Amino acid sequence: MAGQRRGAGPLWALGGAALGVYLAGVAGQLVEPSTAPPKPKPPPLTKETVVFWDMRLWHVVGIFSLFVLSIIITLCCVFNCRVPRTRKEIEARYLQRKAAKMYTDKLETVPPLNELTEIPGENKKKKKDSVDTVAIKVEEDEKNEAKKKKGEK
């Protein structure tokens, strides 16, 4: 009894049980070697590898890149996506936009065409609201001159 320690028996039993559970878990993870030959590696992917529809890899890459390039070019042409590269080009584009905005603002102030010109067959009586055009003034002057000549004769 001199070799036994008091209370050491249950602790050793608990440690032994934990070790047994651990070893059982490790043993479950071990894989038994198979006698079958190893799986062959797939052939390496090269540009001559047939991908699908009897087309080689370089065919597929070329067709895809042409498709993407054509979409990019089409979008850039439709939306005018060119980025100016110099300060001069940037300033020119700014002035162009400013001039276009001023032009559209001026166009909005111009009265409609039917108010500015005489429509053939329309009553030629003067309206107080209408704008005198050069053609109307010339016609009135001609009529006045014709009346004066008739009055003189």
Side-chain angles (χ1 to χ4, degrees), residues 3-149:
Q4 285 187 348
R5 292 189 186 155
R6 201 171 193 192
L11 188 60
W12 278 100
L14 185 60
L19 184 62
V21 169
Y22 175 73
L23 288 177
V26 170
Q29 292 179 359
L30 294 177
V31 179
E32 293 184 24
S34 69
T35 56
K39 294 180 183 176
K41 290 183 179 179
L45 191 63
T46 63
K47 64 181 177 182
E48 294 297 324
T49 305
V50 175
V51 182
F52 57 90
W53 295 336
D54 293 334
M55 293 172 58
R56 309 264 186 233
L57 180 64
W58 67 273
H59 292 141
V60 175
V61 169
I63 291 171
F64 180 75
S65 61
L66 284 175
F67 178 72
V68 169
L69 184 66
S70 65
I71 289 175
I72 290 171
I73 289 172
T74 304
L75 290 175
C76 287
C77 289
V78 168
F79 294 113
N80 196 10
C81 294
R82 187 176 171 275
V83 177
R85 294 192 179 108
T86 63
R87 181 178 178 156
K88 204 179 242 186
E89 288 179 357
I90 293 170
E91 289 173 352
R93 184 171 282 175
Y94 169 74
L95 291 174
Q96 186 179 23
R97 286 185 182 143
K98 188 176 177 183
K101 185 174 182 341
M102 287 174 50
Y103 178 74
T104 55
D105 291 343
K106 292 272 185 185
L107 264 179
E108 290 175 358
T109 62
V110 174
L113 184 62
N114 59 1
E115 292 180 12
L116 293 176
T117 60
E118 182 179 321
I119 299 173
E122 187 181 35
N123 192 359
K124 293 187 179 185
K125 291 182 182 176
K126 255 189 175 178
K127 297 178 184 175
K128 291 182 181 178
D129 300 351
S130 68
V131 177
D132 286 340
T133 61
V134 175
I136 293 173
K137 289 182 180 179
V138 170
E139 286 178 10
E140 288 176 356
D141 291 342
E142 288 175 359
K143 286 180 186 177
N144 290 337
E145 287 178 16
K147 285 180 183 177
K148 286 180 184 177
K149 286 183 182 178

